[in-house]
Amino acid sequence: MTQILFHNINKKDLHTLAVYEKEGGYKGLKKAFAKEPDEIVEMVKASGLRGRGGAGFPTGLKWSFLAKDVFPRYLCCNADESEPGTCKDRELLQKNPHLLIEGMILCSYACKIETVYIYLRGEFYDLCEIMETALEEAYAKGYLGKNILGSGLNLDIHTHLGAGAYICGEESALLNSLEGGRGEPRMKPPFPAVQGLYAQPTVINNVETLCVVPYIVNNGAEKHAAIGTEKSKGTKLVSVSGHVKKPGNYEVVLGTPIREIIYDLAGGIRDDNKLKAFIPGGSSVPMLPADKVDTPYDYESLQAAGTMLGSGALIVMDHTVNVVEISLRLASFYMHESCGKCTPCREGTRWMWQILQQIQTGKGEASYVDKLLDICDNISFKCFCPLGDAAVAPVISGIENFRADYDELIEKMAANTAV
Amino acid sequence: MADDQVTLTIDDQTVCVPKGTKVVDAAKTVGIEIPVFCYHEKLGPLGCCRMCLVEVEKMPKLMTACTMDVGPDMVVKTTTPKVEKAQKGVLEFTLLNHPLDCPVCDKGGECPLQNNTFKYGPGDTRMDFTRAENLKAYPLSPVITLDRERCIACQRCTCYSEVIEMDNALVMHNRGFNNVIGTFNNEPYDTRFSGNVIDICPVGALTNTQFRFKARTWDLTNSDTLCAHCGCNCNMTLGARTNKFMRIESRPNDLVDDGWICDKARWGYDFLESKNRILQARTVPDSGTMVFSSPTTQDAAVRTANAIKKIVDEHGPESVGFIGSPYGTNEELYLYQKLFRLGFGTNNIDHKVYADSPGLPIDHYDVSDIETSNLVLVIASDPTEELPILDLRIKKVVARHGVKLAILNDQATLMDKYAHLSLRYNIGADAEVFSALSAAISGDGQANVKDTGIEADQLKSLADLLGSNKKVTIIYNPAALTGRSVDVLKQLLSVIREIPSIECGAIPAAPFTNAVGAMDMGILPDYYPGGVPVSDGEAIQQKWGKTAPIKAGLSAMEMIQKAESGELKALLVYRANPVVDFPGGKQVAEALKKIDLLVVHDMFETETAKLAHILLPSNGPGYDDGTTTNIGGRVQFRKGGLKTAHPPDWKIISLMAKTLNEEGDKTNYITSFSVTDEIAKKVPGYGEISKKSIKKEGMTRGAPSSKNGAGQEAMESSSPKPGTLKLRIANYLFAHDKILDATSVLAHHFKSSTVHLHEKDAKKLKLKDDDDVVVVSGNTEVAAQVEISNRCNPGGVVLPNISDEQGVWGLADNRDGVTWVEIHKV
Amino acid sequence: MFVFSEEDEKQIEKILNRYPEEQKRSALLPLLTLVQRREKHVSADAMRDIGRRLDLSPAYVQSVCSFYTMYSATPVGKYLILFCINISCQLNGCDELLAHTAKKLNIEIGGTTEDMKFTLHREECLAACSGAPMMRINDTFYENLTSDRIDQILGSLD
Ligand SMILES: Cc1cc2nc3c(=O)[nH]c(=O)nc-3n(C[C@H](O)[C@H](O)[C@H](O)COP(=O)(O)O)c2cc1C
Ligand code: SF4
Ligand code: FES
């Protein structure tokens, strides 16, 4: 299987500059510097690379949106990785920090950026230290700092730790947090490419996205575009968790059937139980029932199946699970993580949680399920940022696909009270 | 069609609005209401309440009308089933944890939440759980009550604190469902402008403690009036119930206040019912025995007129005088000067103790001109303490319109941190600095900056800054200048006028409510109304009659001196308190005691009123109607609001005038507007002013005829006296005086006496922070605590005027412009 | 009174250098983190101090501080245990293990042992889902937990 990011991930001491260089690291810089910055942007466009942070926005296109001739510009690497189920960026940061640094240098060259901030979630203190060490090495070797390898590019990369808030993964909340504020999302427009960090043009990319860039620069856009499907190019790191025998991060070519990921890579369902449901792209995307397990893992197929690829977290549930329990846990998560800025999200997530809790603890009534759906409808697409939409995804899809789980709990209760 | 107009369709109506208009506001222009909670024009879009969702063609999602700019050919629908469902949904969420205690809520009747629910809300709630419990009414400050349960977290108030007041004192704490508004560590939210959050809170979460449970909003009689505290003349509404004062609210007028009022406006009206008010006329019988009689106000007025007339007849018109007040209305002041000039034949008329004369060598800018300026230069003014709404306006343009702020002052102010360039001259060096700046601008002559505390290159950068900006507004406080340096300042203004490629104007920003009006109305010994100098004798007598005096009269300080020497026999003091507010202190009181007839016409039992032989009650703001002219030259109508049985001041004055004239004064004023009409006829610049023309937003008057540029040369600055420091008296917004008396709800803002020293001087004097000292000049002493704050350059001290009792003006010495003080540790 | 140590001051200087001069408020989270790590909480005094350095009102500092879960107003124990309870860990039985841990430490979830050694918190997903169930103690991630492993880990901390 083609691997772009993980082919050498378990190489001993890959996190050191020496090993990374021996593996061919930082070769992309010279290649890139021989080209005009715009050519790199075009290359990334042609490669078909889409953002791996969740939204799947074409990366090259994003770079080309930067406000013309406005400087300074910034790059923020989104290393907030907080989407439940997702743990791929952590592995990259931990085992291959130089790959990310190289990706950030290439992006900076392409976009004429001189300052980069890596926004790491506050809980990644250990990774921050690894990153700092790698940055020091890169500075010492002249890959960072002034006039890098004689290219004229000056570049500083800094780490910046968050402090515990899922919403700071949302790009505009991330900017507010990086500016020393509460992690509340910003109004768009203006988009970050026009007015981002410190109101300057800013690129925000996920760790994984940036880590793919060296491959594209080294091997050419065509090589990358040849991998994957018609509309989903390249590979994707998939964090497989839940009821599988071998949970872990796997790099798969986009378009690989989910069945293959669950049963071949992750070893199948634990205790050889029956697959009941899976969430293909992190807690914010709708879950699918077992009969969708042959869906190819790519952006368009998942969309056609009524869900999304999201951040690439495949959460697998076997038949022992009651979906209400899962939905309640996720509702509690979104209630806890809502920034509170907008009404439907702040009030709605709590109300959903209250109702789900009633159902889960056997105090639910038959009308609750429809009420839940209606509340979800009142939240969907009416919030300030996508967190609200994310919050309703597991609930709506849970009810649509597994209404029996709800009915079972409610009926059990009704039966109990009747006695 | 102009490029900056956008045409779109809202609910099938064609709307044409300027580019950049938000959809909500565009809808408003054609009478379509889109409900909002968090959106407020002045705060800008927040987009957090989601009440304003609308459908926009080609957009898959509903959009918030408050955050969306209009676009060409946009098609907006505000009443589709999708929109209605969303509105119901959002309202349901909003009300989910709201206590619905409308029957006992002060906001009832004027509550956007109540109104929106009525119009757009669901019939009932589907909430089956106990509502979230949150803190009920608790004091956010001594004057604001916060009811957290009612808060809908719309962020208007916290946004106000951030973008309008710009001090982030009121913030959102916690996250998500737990978020609450609050201050640091639950300290009181007691800024200078805190009360505005009450007006903008769309629910009953933030309420006026003074007004709580006093009346239902619909039972109030609201009068549209003006604030009478400072020269900004902000617009406000006075609410009364059964003729009792209930509350003040802001009444937006963009040209004056931009929609806000300061806390002194909102809570500084306890004086309307102060125990200290003069409600009864008093006279000392002619024999001079100190037995008071209590005639009616009318009787006392007649007696006053006759008594002064008698003195004029015996000792000549030079023996009587009038000290007015920059707090009176145009009508009151106009009538008084007319009485003294035409009735008593004297020009001994004044209202101030600092040098200034009517007219500017450049345009008199209105406050709103600041918005279109590129540079604002503030000279010797401390807007935050003196003209608070100006503080907000300047911060706004600096932060949001990219306007540059330059400051030239002898003391540090809170505006400094917003300044692009802030220069501090030595106390008393104002004239030198102004001429040096003139020289730096015009390039002729050497800019002499010796002993000014400012470097030549600093002045050069200020000169460059002035030259490199297209539109410049200069704001200066004449009352904070020493000696006759205001004349040098006016020369500087004429030099600035000549800078090619710039457009400029000035705002004379004396802090007093009607400082500009008082000048315009000729409450000056050497100028008739409209800035006509007494030297224009012919013109004056043509307009005012053959008997109109054309010899310059005495200034206020000269009148005090002549009282001392016994030459001034009669003095009428109108709403002024020379004993406390004039330089000299006790000496002033001694001088006034020597006068044969001292008449005081005032609202309060002041230190001066205590010395009066005849005391006339004045109703003042809140009761009497009249117009005032703000620092921008804008004339507006100040309605009384409360009723009183006492005759208004303008009637008392006109009665005095009638008494003098055997045949009876021909003028017969029916309302204060009758006087306004006469002003329009008689006062140059006021020709267009009428009840009608000033109705809504007021109207700027024409500038006075005198273009006053030259003036006298600067006085020699006094030479240093060994061991002494130069005194700068600063203003403090919440000073404890007759207006904010001990019972004021703003008493928590009262301060103790503090003298600000430079660290160098403190070291020399071996003083440290919090040391108790006395500040001494002549035989006056003022007690204070030391604060080493470098508020002025070495060699000077700043002493804020914090109360009448403190008596700082007693220290001042008006003769050479600068007062030298010693500081002794106690 | 709160004072930064000399070593902190060096760190602060380094932190401030990362951001443009006129954007020093970006240093707010890093400075709060510094205080939280050293003092195990962020006191009002510290907020005031940080506000002064960064030209922010103390209310603003508190507003930001209270938004993020990693800052606490009252001191946490020497070892802060963050026990992930989100979906992947839930599917792998974290609830029982969390209850086990609380019982072992003899505290409520959210509480701190009397000797101020351990504080136990429920935590949302910590990005170690393929190692579920997991917990983080101070800066260390512990994955694939079992009750035996938890006992052993707790026992090894002093
Ligand atoms: C609530 C929310 C949380 C998010 N969390 C993350 C995250 O933890 N990491 C991430 O890379 N992107 C996250 N995103 C997506 C970012 O907003 C943004 O789209 C992404 O960082 C862009 O990078 P990419 O184009 O490389 O994917 C989140 C989005 C939302 C709405
Ligand atoms: S108190 Fe009023 S203005 Fe402030 S957030 Fe709550 S509802 Fe909004
Ligand atoms: S008014 Fe538009 S979101 Fe509140």
Side-chain angles (χ1 to χ4, degrees):
Chain A
M1 215 178 212
T2 315
Q3 291 205 319
I4 290 175
L5 302 169
F6 265 11
H7 60 282
N8 59 356
I9 195 76
N10 287 319
K11 184 109 199 163
K12 189 164 179 294
D13 293 333
L14 180 62
H15 66 277
T16 62
L17 182 71
V19 176
Y20 180 70
E21 279 185 326
K22 209 178 285 158
E23 288 287 303
Y26 288 116
K27 288 244 170 66
L29 300 193
K30 278 236 168 71
K31 278 197 180 154
F33 296 159
K35 294 186 165 63
E36 284 299 309
D38 280 350
E39 288 177 60
I40 309 287
V41 177
E42 287 310 315
M43 239 176 135
V44 174
K45 260 194 205 167
S47 76
L49 174 63
R50 291 170 66 168
R52 306 301 194 216
F57 194 84
T59 306
L61 195 59
K62 186 188 267 191
W63 295 2
S64 69
F65 284 162
L66 283 170
K68 295 273 165 300
D69 302 323
V70 186
F71 299 96
R73 296 167 168 181
Y74 293 97
L75 165 63
C76 296
C77 168
N78 191 341
D80 191 60
E81 188 158 68
S82 308
E83 174 80 358
T86 319
C87 51
K88 58 177 181 95
D89 295 341
R90 185 164 157 258
E91 187 161 349
L92 282 171
L93 289 163
Q94 190 169 28
K95 299 184 178 163
N96 203 354
H98 285 286
L99 179 62
L100 175 60
I101 296 174
E102 187 173 355
M104 293 189 292
I105 299 172
L106 293 172
C107 169
S108 301
Y109 177 72
C111 300
K112 302 185 182 141
I113 287 165
E114 298 201 336
T115 314
V116 180
Y117 295 98
I118 312 172
Y119 186 97
L120 296 134
R121 61 180 297 180
E123 294 87 346
F124 283 175
Y125 199 87
D126 53 338
L127 300 187
C128 186
E129 285 177 335
I130 294 175
M131 201 68 220
E132 295 269 359
T133 312
L135 287 171
E136 269 166 41
E137 285 180 305
Y139 269 106
K141 196 70 195 273
Y143 292 141
L144 289 174
K146 296 260 172 281
N147 192 13
I148 298 166
L149 308 183
S151 64
L153 173 68
N154 301 326
L155 184 63
D156 283 312
I157 301 183
H158 307 285
T159 58
H160 182 102
L161 280 166
Y166 165 66
I167 186 65
C168 290
E170 193 283 326
E171 55 187 17
S172 66
L174 180 149
L175 295 176
N176 274 343
S177 181
L178 184 47
E179 287 183 12
R182 292 161 64 83
E184 289 174 359
R186 293 180 181 177
M187 227 159 52
K188 292 179 207 163
F191 290 93
V194 178
Q195 272 183 39
L197 187 66
Y198 310 135
Q200 295 298 119
T202 302
V203 176
I204 299 158
N205 272 131
N206 171 257
V207 172
E208 184 185 344
T209 313
L210 290 164
C211 285
V212 179
V213 177
Y215 177 88
I216 296 171
V217 171
N218 276 317
N219 301 283
E222 301 71 32
K223 190 92 184 280
H224 183 266
I227 309 167
T229 71
E230 179 67 35
K231 284 191 182 140
S232 303
K233 304 295 187 192
T235 64
K236 178 78 190 81
L237 296 184
V238 185
S239 304
V240 189
S241 69
H243 293 156
V244 289
K245 287 184 182 149
K246 290 194 297 172
N249 288 316
Y250 299 98
E251 180 170 12
V252 305
V253 170
L254 284 164
T256 307
I258 291 172
R259 179 187 294 279
E260 242 180 83
I261 304 174
I262 296 179
Y263 289 93
D264 298 349
L265 296 172
I269 310 296
R270 61 157 191 196
D271 304 333
D272 293 323
N273 277 351
K274 252 178 62 202
L275 176 69
K276 175 168 181 171
F278 59 92
I279 302 179
S283 68
S284 301
V285 310
M287 63 176 84
L288 292 177
D291 60 13
K292 293 277 170 62
V293 75
D294 290 311
T295 311
Y297 201 80
D298 60 53
Y299 294 98
E300 61 276 16
S301 308
L302 285 165
Q303 195 175 2
T307 182
M308 282 178 291
L309 185 139
S311 58
L314 180 57
I315 304 160
V316 181
M317 293 166 265
D318 69 14
H319 73 271
T320 61
V321 159
N322 182 310
V323 163
V324 178
E325 205 176 325
I326 300 300
S327 300
L328 172 61
R329 188 63 54 106
L330 292 178
S332 156
F333 167 73
Y334 288 106
M335 171 179 71
H336 187 255
E337 299 301 336
S338 165
C339 80
K341 178 171 177 151
C342 77
T343 312
C345 174
R346 179 186 66 243
E347 304 289 332
T349 51
R350 184 165 181 273
W351 198 8
M352 275 182 353
W353 169 78
Q354 282 173 317
I355 296 176
L356 282 164
Q357 206 183 30
Q358 297 278 312
I359 299 174
Q360 166 76 17
T361 53
K363 291 177 210 133
E365 287 170 26
S367 66
Y368 280 16
V369 184
D370 287 331
K371 182 153 83 181
L372 254 183
L373 280 175
D374 191 54
I375 293 169
C376 288
D377 182 55
N378 285 343
I379 296 174
S380 287
F381 302 118
K382 296 178 187 69
C383 294
F384 191 91
C385 87
L387 189 140
D389 307 333
V392 301
V395 178
I396 298 180
S397 59
I399 296 175
E400 277 173 356
N401 293 305
F402 304 100
R403 193 169 178 130
D405 284 16
Y406 282 81
D407 293 342
E408 187 191 324
L409 278 168
I410 291 167
E411 276 158 24
K412 201 159 51 179
M413 181 59 204
N416 281 348
T417 35
V419 175
Chain B
M1 185 185 300
D3 284 351
D4 48 3
Q5 293 284 312
V6 174
T7 306
L8 70 161
T9 312
I10 306 179
D11 288 347
D12 301 326
Q13 292 199 56
T14 305
V15 189
C16 185
V17 288
K19 209 168 137 185
T21 307
K22 301 292 171 201
V23 172
V24 223
D25 293 327
K28 230 181 272 166
T29 63
V30 290
I32 296 170
E33 188 196 309
I34 299 171
V36 300
F37 287 123
C38 69
Y39 181 65
H40 187 286
E41 260 187 337
K42 299 286 173 191
L43 301 176
L46 293 169
C48 57
C49 77
R50 319 306 284 177
M51 191 59 221
C52 64
L53 292 167
V54 293
E55 246 187 286
V56 179
E57 231 168 57
K58 299 199 193 91
M59 304 258 188
K61 291 201 291 182
L62 294 178
M63 305 299 288
T64 41
C66 74
T67 61
M68 197 168 51
D69 283 358
V70 291
D73 303 323
M74 194 180 242
V75 179
V76 179
K77 297 226 158 65
T78 76
T79 56
T80 63
K82 214 168 137 189
V83 170
E84 280 169 16
K85 166 113 194 330
Q87 287 171 339
K88 282 199 172 57
V90 169
L91 267 168
E92 185 177 37
F93 289 137
T94 309
L95 292 169
L96 213 49
N97 290 290
H98 188 82
L100 301 176
D101 56 351
C102 309
V104 292
C105 178
D106 281 317
K107 197 80 175 185
E110 53 185 23
C111 176
L113 179 57
Q114 225 176 25
N115 297 344
N116 281 344
T117 307
F118 185 77
K119 280 200 221 149
Y120 310 98
D124 53 3
T125 174
R126 297 178 291 175
M127 173 76 170
D128 316 298
F129 311 109
T130 40
R131 287 168 202 287
E133 298 234 336
N134 229 322
L135 222 49
K136 289 296 300 177
Y138 98 102
L140 185 63
S141 82
V143 286
I144 303 177
T145 301
L146 168 61
D147 193 319
R148 286 215 165 113
E149 244 176 40
R150 293 183 189 149
C151 173
I152 59 168
C154 70
Q155 304 204 5
R156 271 189 181 185
C157 56
T158 52
C159 173
Y160 165 84
S161 181
E162 181 185 341
V163 311
I164 305 294
E165 201 166 350
M166 287 172 65
D167 62 0
N168 279 309
L170 191 64
V171 295
M172 194 62 88
H173 288 309
N174 308 333
R175 181 168 87 197
F177 186 77
N178 296 313
N179 66 7
V180 288
I181 63 155
T183 55
F184 178 64
N185 254 3
N186 282 325
E187 285 169 3
Y189 173 56
D190 55 3
T191 62
R192 286 178 183 76
F193 305 93
S194 66
N196 289 315
V197 298
I198 297 169
D199 290 345
I200 58 175
C201 178
V203 301
L206 291 164
T207 48
N208 184 335
T209 308
Q210 193 180 34
F211 178 63
R212 260 176 91 77
F213 304 130
K214 275 219 193 133
R216 301 309 316 226
T217 51
W218 52 85
D219 286 333
L220 293 180
T221 313
N222 287 320
S223 308
D224 290 352
T225 183
L226 311 178
C227 176
H229 286 318
C230 84
C232 295
N233 297 188
C234 296
N235 295 197
M236 61 186 210
T237 304
L238 186 154
R241 182 156 181 262
T242 58
N243 205 35
K244 281 202 79 72
F245 168 74
M246 290 285 131
R247 68 166 179 193
I248 301 283
E249 286 182 293
S250 67
R251 179 171 66 90
N253 180 348
D254 286 359
L255 297 172
V256 175
D257 46 47
D258 210 19
W260 313 114
I261 55 175
C262 73
D263 283 4
K264 192 164 173 183
R266 194 177 304 267
W267 287 296
Y269 282 83
D270 286 346
F271 73 84
L272 293 172
E273 288 158 3
S274 156
K275 282 208 305 274
N276 224 352
R277 283 194 80 101
I278 299 168
L279 296 170
Q280 169 68 56
R282 275 198 316 257
T283 60
V284 180
D286 289 342
S287 65
T289 57
M290 291 298 267
V291 179
F292 285 104
S293 64
S294 313
T296 64
T297 304
Q298 285 84 347
D299 282 352
V302 170
R303 217 185 283 190
T304 301
N306 288 330
I308 299 179
K309 185 74 174 109
K310 197 165 152 231
I311 293 174
V312 171
D313 291 344
E314 282 168 20
H315 301 278
E318 272 85 61
S319 66
V320 303
F322 171 71
I323 294 179
S325 153
Y327 289 97
T329 63
N330 290 328
E331 289 71 16
E332 292 153 0
L333 296 173
Y334 170 83
L335 289 178
Y336 256 131
Q337 65 84 29
K338 189 176 153 198
L339 171 70
F340 274 79
R341 290 199 160 110
L342 307 187
F344 300 130
T346 184
N347 274 325
N348 292 346
I349 295 171
D350 205 355
H351 72 283
K352 58 182 178 47
V353 290
Y354 54 91
D356 198 7
S357 44
L360 290 170
I362 54 176
D363 287 346
H364 187 149
Y365 270 177
D366 195 1
V367 176
S368 55
D369 276 301
I370 295 173
E371 304 254 339
T372 49
S373 297
N374 311 94
L375 173 74
V376 175
L377 169 61
V378 174
I379 301 176
S381 164
D382 181 3
T384 317
E385 304 292 4
E386 295 165 355
L387 297 156
I389 282 302
L390 201 52
D391 161 290
L392 292 190
R393 178 89 66 166
I394 294 173
K395 285 194 290 207
K396 169 184 167 183
V397 297
V398 170
R400 289 190 274 162
H401 299 186
V403 174
K404 288 200 175 106
L405 172 65
I407 294 179
L408 192 56
N409 208 335
D410 54 358
Q411 63 159 337
T413 67
L414 289 172
M415 293 266 83
D416 288 335
K417 78 180 223 207
Y418 304 98
H420 179 79
L421 181 68
S422 173
L423 303 182
R424 196 157 313 147
Y425 56 84
N426 294 340
I427 293 169
D430 33 8
E432 288 83 350
V433 170
F434 301 153
S435 30
L437 180 56
S438 295
I441 293 168
S442 55
D444 42 67
Q446 191 67 34
N448 183 6
V449 291
K450 197 168 155 283
D451 295 332
T452 60
I454 294 182
E455 301 297 328
D457 56 339
Q458 291 179 310
L459 272 190
K460 177 82 175 50
S461 6
L462 180 54
D464 291 347
L465 199 58
L466 279 162
S468 61
N469 281 281
K470 240 174 60 208
K471 183 169 174 182
V472 181
T473 303
I474 298 155
I475 298 170
Y476 70 94
N477 178 3
L481 301 178
T482 57
R484 294 211 57 92
S485 46
V486 68
D487 295 328
V488 190
L489 175 65
K490 286 189 179 173
Q491 281 161 7
L492 167 64
L493 295 182
S494 17
V495 172
I496 294 176
R497 182 187 61 202
E498 298 308 322
I499 300 177
S501 82
I502 80 163
E503 202 188 307
C504 62
I507 299 179
F512 327 106
T513 308
N514 197 23
V516 172
M519 300 276 274
D520 288 348
M521 294 306 125
I523 308 301
L524 295 164
D526 42 1
Y527 287 89
Y528 267 67
V532 181
V534 284
S535 52
D536 278 358
E538 212 166 301
I540 288 174
Q541 293 192 333
Q542 213 163 32
K543 185 171 225 167
W544 299 91
K546 282 276 161 278
T547 58
I550 50 172
K551 187 176 153 236
L554 300 171
S555 72
M557 281 319 286
E558 284 164 350
M559 284 187 249
I560 302 290
Q561 280 153 27
K562 296 280 183 201
E564 170 78 45
S565 66
E567 288 160 80
L568 193 80
K569 307 284 181 201
L571 180 65
L572 194 152
V573 178
Y574 178 56
R575 288 207 343 226
N577 188 10
V579 174
V580 167
D581 296 331
F582 278 25
K586 283 178 220 147
Q587 274 166 282
V588 175
E590 291 312 313
L592 293 179
K593 280 184 198 156
K594 294 192 177 155
I595 291 182
D596 291 349
L597 175 66
L598 178 65
V599 184
V600 174
H601 184 185
D602 206 337
M603 297 152 60
F604 304 106
E605 300 278 3
T606 64
E607 290 76 358
T608 307
K610 291 207 174 75
L611 308 175
H613 304 104
I614 302 181
L615 196 58
L616 297 166
S618 161
N619 293 330
Y623 297 98
D624 283 0
D625 294 346
T627 65
T628 54
T629 308
N630 80 355
I631 50 170
R634 182 164 292 271
V635 185
Q636 302 180 92
F637 178 56
R638 187 167 84 203
K639 193 175 158 58
L642 300 173
K643 290 185 200 61
T644 171
H646 297 279
D649 290 6
W650 60 265
K651 263 198 182 149
I652 298 174
I653 309 163
S654 107
L655 176 62
M656 290 192 233
K658 279 186 182 157
T659 309
L660 294 180
N661 197 325
E662 305 284 288
E663 303 124 62
D665 193 322
K666 295 284 183 308
T667 49
N668 204 4
Y669 308 116
I670 300 159
T671 67
S672 74
F673 279 120
S674 321
V675 186
T676 319
D677 291 342
E678 187 175 320
I679 290 174
K681 281 198 207 88
K682 289 283 220 183
V683 181
Y686 281 70
E688 305 281 306
I689 304 298
S690 70
K691 179 173 181 177
K692 223 165 129 203
S693 71
I694 62 171
K695 207 168 174 184
K696 276 204 185 99
E697 299 169 320
M699 187 185 193
T700 49
R701 70 7 168 187
S705 40
S706 95
K707 275 283 175 238
N708 209 292
Q712 284 122 299
E713 270 305 302
M715 294 188 28
E716 283 288 291
S717 81
S718 56
S719 46
K721 301 175 186 168
T724 58
L725 298 164
K726 283 175 282 184
L727 172 70
R728 163 68 139 107
I729 296 174
N731 289 307
Y732 174 54
L733 181 61
F734 300 107
H736 178 184
D737 53 16
K738 305 296 176 289
I739 296 288
L740 300 187
D741 64 19
T743 63
S744 167
V745 293
L746 291 172
H748 57 284
H749 280 294
F750 291 165
K751 274 194 186 164
S752 54
S753 182
T754 305
V755 59
H756 295 261
L757 286 178
H758 193 276
E759 56 196 352
K760 283 192 184 153
D761 296 318
K763 209 166 161 196
K764 267 191 231 157
L765 296 167
K766 300 203 175 57
L767 291 170
K768 44 183 203 325
D769 274 327
D770 299 334
D771 275 351
D772 286 312
V773 294
V774 283
V775 181
V776 187
S777 155
N779 50 12
T780 310
E781 284 189 4
V782 170
Q785 259 189 349
V786 170
E787 189 177 323
I788 303 169
S789 54
N790 299 353
R791 188 157 158 182
C792 59
N793 290 341
V797 298
V798 179
L799 188 58
N801 178 6
I802 53 96
S803 73
D804 282 357
E805 204 181 326
Q806 178 201 26
V808 285
W809 284 102
L811 293 171
D813 168 2
N814 141 287
R815 269 175 297 272
D816 50 5
V818 186
T819 300
W820 297 87
V821 294
E822 284 174 46
I823 299 198
H824 301 302
K825 203 164 164 174
V826 292
Chain C
M1 247 329 262
F2 173 86
V3 253
F4 280 108
S5 68
E6 228 165 87
E7 198 178 313
D8 291 340
E9 294 290 355
K10 273 191 217 129
Q11 187 68 25
I12 292 172
E13 204 184 307
K14 248 172 78 189
I15 292 171
L16 283 170
N17 274 334
R18 292 182 199 152
Y19 310 101
E21 179 68 39
E22 67 283 10
Q23 302 290 353
K24 57 183 177 182
R25 70 192 189 117
S26 272
L28 181 52
L29 265 61
L31 292 200
L32 288 170
T33 301
L34 194 71
V35 174
Q36 173 72 35
R37 291 177 69 84
R38 202 189 76 180
E39 306 270 303
K40 299 283 178 191
H41 77 299
V42 185
S43 66
D45 263 349
M47 291 185 214
R48 244 190 237 110
D49 184 304
I50 292 176
R52 253 195 313 271
R53 285 164 192 268
L54 305 182
D55 203 9
L56 300 168
S57 80
Y60 180 89
V61 176
Q62 195 169 38
S63 159
V64 171
C65 196
S66 64
F67 184 88
Y68 296 95
T69 52
M70 288 178 73
Y71 305 127
S72 53
T74 50
V76 295
K78 181 174 173 196
Y79 295 104
L80 174 62
I81 307 173
L82 300 178
F83 215 106
C84 178
I85 48 94
N86 211 297
I87 181 162
S88 306
C89 288
Q90 178 195 19
L91 293 171
N92 285 291
C94 68
D95 292 358
E96 293 76 28
L97 293 177
L98 174 60
H100 169 85
T101 311
K103 202 166 150 215
K104 172 99 189 163
L105 295 172
N106 196 21
I107 49 174
E108 303 261 300
I109 297 163
T112 301
T113 54
E114 260 172 41
D115 58 3
M116 292 302 286
K117 191 166 165 191
F118 293 105
T119 297
L120 178 63
H121 279 306
R122 257 190 206 98
E123 183 62 27
E124 299 299 352
C125 180
L126 282 166
C129 315
S130 55
M134 67 78 62
M135 65 180 173
R136 175 180 185 257
I137 302 184
N138 292 350
D139 296 335
T140 313
F141 283 60
Y142 298 92
E143 305 186 12
N144 302 312
L145 296 175
T146 59
S147 49
D148 286 349
R149 249 204 103 212
I150 290 172
D151 293 351
Q152 182 208 334
I153 293 164
L154 293 182
S156 71
L157 298 171
D158 53 20

